[in-house]
Amino acid sequence: MSQSIRTRFAPSPTGHLHIGNARTALMNWLAARHFGGRFILRIEDTDRERSTEASEQSILGDMAWLGLDWDEGPDKGGEYGPYRQSERLVFYQEIREQLIASGHAYPCFCTAEDLEARRQEQLGRGEQPHYDGRCRHLSAEEKIRFETAGRQPSTRFHVQKESVSFRDLVKGEITVQKEALSDFVIVRPDGMPMYNFACMADDHHMAISHVIRGDDHVSNTHRQILMYEALQWEIPEFAHIPMILGQDRDRLSKRHGATSVTQFQEAGYLPDALLNFLSLLSWSSGSGEEILSRDRLVQEFGFDRVSRSASVFDTEKLDWMNGVYIREKTDFDTLARLALPFFRQAGYPVNDAAAARPVVRALQSKMEKLSEIGDKARIFFLDEAVPEDNEAAETINGAEPQAVFRAFLSATEGLPAWDSQMFMTVMKQIQQSTGIKGKGLWMPVRVALTGQMHGPELGPVTEILGLDLCRRRIQQAIG
RNA sequence: GGCGCAUUCGUCUAGUGGUCUAGGACGCCGGCCUCUCACGCCGGUAACACGGGUUCGAUCCCCGUAUGCGCUACCA
């Protein structure tokens, strides 16, 4: 399978890109890149009620943000298009007829109401609800009667095999008996295909070699295999990846906080960090390492290292990992560019990445998420550095702090240039001239300059502030 | 309910029938560093769901139980 594998990510455009789907997309992307194959993006919009153009745009945008590039898709075409199911209706129609002709499918005139009523009956008798197959043997007259009455039939697949099994690339052999699979609908009365049918048909037509998806699809697999066999099509490889759970071990949902890629982006996570974190859910590197670049992820990916059990999404670990990426895995230009929106959002006068850069650099080791910029960068844009609390206020009052301030003003008077280095030199001078050192020297300056007891290293802070602002704030601190 | 899948520290995970007194990471706790807070470094805490087998020996193999999740749609 190292030759020309083809994988696909097939989201339905009914909302933002969910984090679980993003992980599925990632696995497909990794497999394609690892084996030197192609990664296809297909839009499954057969649910007309819920599918929207805006969702499709949003999902494409989130994929791009994560850096999961696709080789074929609705926006860029490819030789197996179209890549939107709603544009592939003729294919399904054709296959439907083929299946009917070969006796593998039949029209079903039961209405949704009939079906629901019978389901309730079965349930009431304590039976397992399943389609009773009554339209399987409709006579020609009965069909005509229904049709002339204007009833549009759905199309059902006739399950005939006693059992179906397949070998999953991560879960191993999975078998299911016929009883679990009653005749299922493959095409709705309005001609729109159902998921299982369209998915199978497209996977075949798009020459997908490896179907990689969440393990909530394992039971769909048997139905799809039945159809592949009926059509005498080659069956692709299947790999079912375990689910991602919330902290309460329930399926990850809105209740658990951020669940869409968009939300993580807005919360200040870096795409590479999110990607790295996602890769470690139900997969691990043979090296035991966890901070893995995209290239290494691609290089080391393998189905044999995917675990079979679900994993809990641990936001605290993601936060830590994002911090690692902020402070050591991202170059300053990229970081500044990604940070820019957060300066804007906070209303700070930072108009381009170049302006953001020094601030980001000063804050780098102090934040795990870029969204912390709003809070942590405030000290650089204050009109006045007012002590934030009593403790801070006390720090700048008293003979020693005041002496330090006066020394600072005289040491910086008329200085032609100003940077972090100069500041350090000045501080050394003050220490010598006043004899004050350590916290007694630094803390008053810190509070005078920022109003806070805690914050970034003072050197970079003073450089960003500039000499004038520094002198003004020190001046203001003199009581 | 039925069917399917799963079960190693709180969480993500490594691991093999004996090398496991079970390894790493996050978190947490303690220490060091230090102008503060962080960062970094060092150390500590903590797990093989339970019960039967198989075996000289099971975390690792088999069966059962429990628990969790998924599916059971004219959703995807």
Side-chain angles (χ1 to χ4, degrees):
Chain A
M1 67 182 181
S2 61
Q3 298 273 26
S4 57
I5 89 161
R6 290 173 60 82
T7 66
R8 52 53 169 190
F9 174 54
S12 53
T14 55
H16 292 297
L17 178 59
H18 182 89
I19 204 71
N21 288 137
R23 202 270 307 258
T24 298
L26 170 62
M27 292 294 175
N28 276 282
W29 181 83
L30 286 174
R33 298 292 173 252
H34 175 83
F35 293 111
R38 307 262 290 173
F39 176 54
I40 289 87
L41 184 61
R42 179 174 77 224
I43 300 298
E44 307 217 326
D45 55 352
T46 54
D47 185 341
R48 287 166 151 170
E49 318 264 282
R50 301 193 297 150
S51 298
T52 67
E53 170 69 17
S55 292
E56 182 182 318
Q57 285 312 313
S58 157
I59 289 170
L60 260 51
D62 287 340
M63 292 277 291
W65 180 75
L66 278 171
L68 300 179
D69 56 321
W70 51 97
D71 305 306
E72 298 166 29
D75 59 328
K76 61 193 303 180
E79 51 186 317
Y80 296 89
Y83 293 90
R84 237 176 242 110
Q85 291 189 325
S86 59
E87 295 165 15
R88 302 177 61 82
L89 268 22
V90 283
F91 295 109
Y92 311 131
Q93 187 57 30
E94 205 173 291
I95 299 164
R96 184 192 87 108
E97 267 148 34
Q98 201 176 323
L99 247 16
I100 287 178
S102 65
H104 288 286
Y106 57 89
C108 171
F109 292 91
C110 299
T111 63
E113 295 73 43
D114 292 342
L115 259 16
E116 183 53 28
R118 269 181 269 155
R119 160 182 301 279
Q120 290 309 323
E121 266 175 50
Q122 289 170 335
L123 248 21
R125 287 196 299 267
E127 291 171 16
Q128 271 191 69
H130 65 278
Y131 179 65
D132 56 16
R134 71 172 57 188
C135 290
R136 211 139 60 197
H137 310 295
L138 250 30
S139 68
E141 291 129 42
E142 287 172 306
K143 284 183 194 168
I144 290 169
R145 213 178 63 227
F146 277 127
E147 278 161 10
T148 49
R151 236 198 235 189
Q152 288 294 311
S154 60
T155 306
R156 279 182 192 272
F157 184 85
H158 185 190
V159 177
Q160 299 172 68
K161 285 190 72 177
E162 285 309 309
S163 72
V164 194
S165 62
F166 73 99
R167 178 157 210 82
D168 190 271
L169 255 21
V170 346
K171 304 238 176 202
E173 181 111 0
I174 303 175
T175 305
V176 102
Q177 301 302 314
K178 183 182 183 177
E179 294 72 59
L181 278 11
S182 56
D183 291 3
F184 52 94
V185 173
I186 57 175
V187 179
R188 297 177 173 90
D190 67 0
M192 285 303 268
M194 293 293 290
Y195 165 74
N196 271 314
F197 179 59
C199 174
M200 178 245 15
D202 289 342
D203 284 341
H204 172 75
H205 281 323
M206 294 182 180
I208 301 304
S209 64
H210 291 66
V211 174
I212 305 167
R213 74 231 301 198
D215 71 7
D216 48 339
H217 285 288
V218 293
S219 55
N220 287 322
T221 309
H222 299 93
R223 293 191 179 87
Q224 293 176 4
I225 286 176
L226 250 16
M227 292 186 278
Y228 278 108
E229 289 177 341
L231 264 355
Q232 293 181 298
W233 286 350
E234 190 185 342
I235 298 170
E237 298 281 355
F238 291 97
H240 288 95
I241 312 290
M243 300 273 87
I244 297 176
L245 277 20
Q247 290 82 340
D248 54 5
R249 298 213 139 264
D250 203 354
R251 188 193 204 133
L252 196 63
S253 70
K254 312 102 245 158
R255 298 191 349 265
H256 300 101
T259 51
S260 72
V261 170
T262 302
Q263 286 173 298
F264 282 93
Q265 178 180 358
E266 287 166 356
Y269 292 95
L270 307 186
D272 283 12
L274 186 57
L275 201 76
N276 190 164
F277 179 74
L278 250 22
S279 76
L280 259 21
L281 260 22
S282 293
W283 178 85
S284 62
S285 160
S287 71
E289 290 172 61
E290 304 201 306
I291 302 297
L292 302 160
S293 68
R294 241 164 239 270
D295 287 348
R296 277 196 66 186
L297 251 20
V298 167
Q299 185 187 326
E300 297 190 20
F301 179 80
F303 293 110
D304 52 346
R305 293 206 63 86
V306 176
S307 77
R308 290 148 310 265
S309 52
S311 52
V312 172
F313 191 93
D314 182 2
T315 307
E316 287 192 329
K317 186 158 182 174
L318 202 213
D319 287 352
W320 162 77
M321 190 171 280
N322 202 57
V324 171
Y325 272 81
I326 287 178
R327 78 183 84 94
E328 47 189 88
K329 294 292 166 193
T330 313
D331 62 86
F332 286 118
D333 290 329
T334 304
L335 205 52
R337 179 172 52 76
L338 291 168
L340 205 48
F342 295 92
F343 283 100
R344 293 227 172 89
Q345 191 184 315
Y348 299 145
V350 173
N351 298 314
D352 53 36
R357 206 174 138 137
V359 178
V360 168
R361 185 165 195 151
L363 259 25
Q364 196 175 210
S365 69
K366 328 202 83 68
M367 57 182 179
E368 292 188 316
K369 291 176 278 191
L370 296 177
S371 53
E372 292 167 43
I373 283 172
D375 190 43
K376 299 223 159 72
R378 181 166 297 121
I379 55 170
F380 298 110
F381 309 106
L382 256 21
D383 288 336
E384 258 181 279
V386 186
E388 61 176 350
D389 55 25
N390 286 341
E391 193 188 8
E394 280 167 26
T395 304
I396 58 171
N397 287 322
E400 290 206 343
Q402 294 294 317
V404 168
F405 297 152
R406 282 191 298 273
F408 184 92
L409 289 178
S410 67
T412 54
E413 173 119 47
L415 274 181
W418 182 248
D419 61 14
S420 189
Q421 274 291 313
M422 285 293 293
F423 168 74
M424 298 307 276
T425 306
V426 165
M427 288 300 277
K428 194 158 287 176
Q429 282 173 20
I430 297 172
Q431 182 189 133
Q432 279 160 2
S433 66
T434 63
I436 301 167
K437 58 181 179 175
K439 292 182 192 182
L441 169 66
W442 293 85
M443 290 309 284
V445 175
R446 171 174 294 287
V447 173
L449 254 23
T450 70
Q452 301 175 357
M453 298 291 289
H454 308 302
E457 241 182 284
L458 279 178
V461 169
T462 56
E463 183 169 323
I464 292 166
L465 254 24
L467 182 56
D468 288 350
L469 231 199
C470 285
R471 285 176 54 85
R472 201 180 320 149
R473 288 186 181 178
I474 293 289
Q475 180 65 58
Q476 283 163 346
I478 292 177

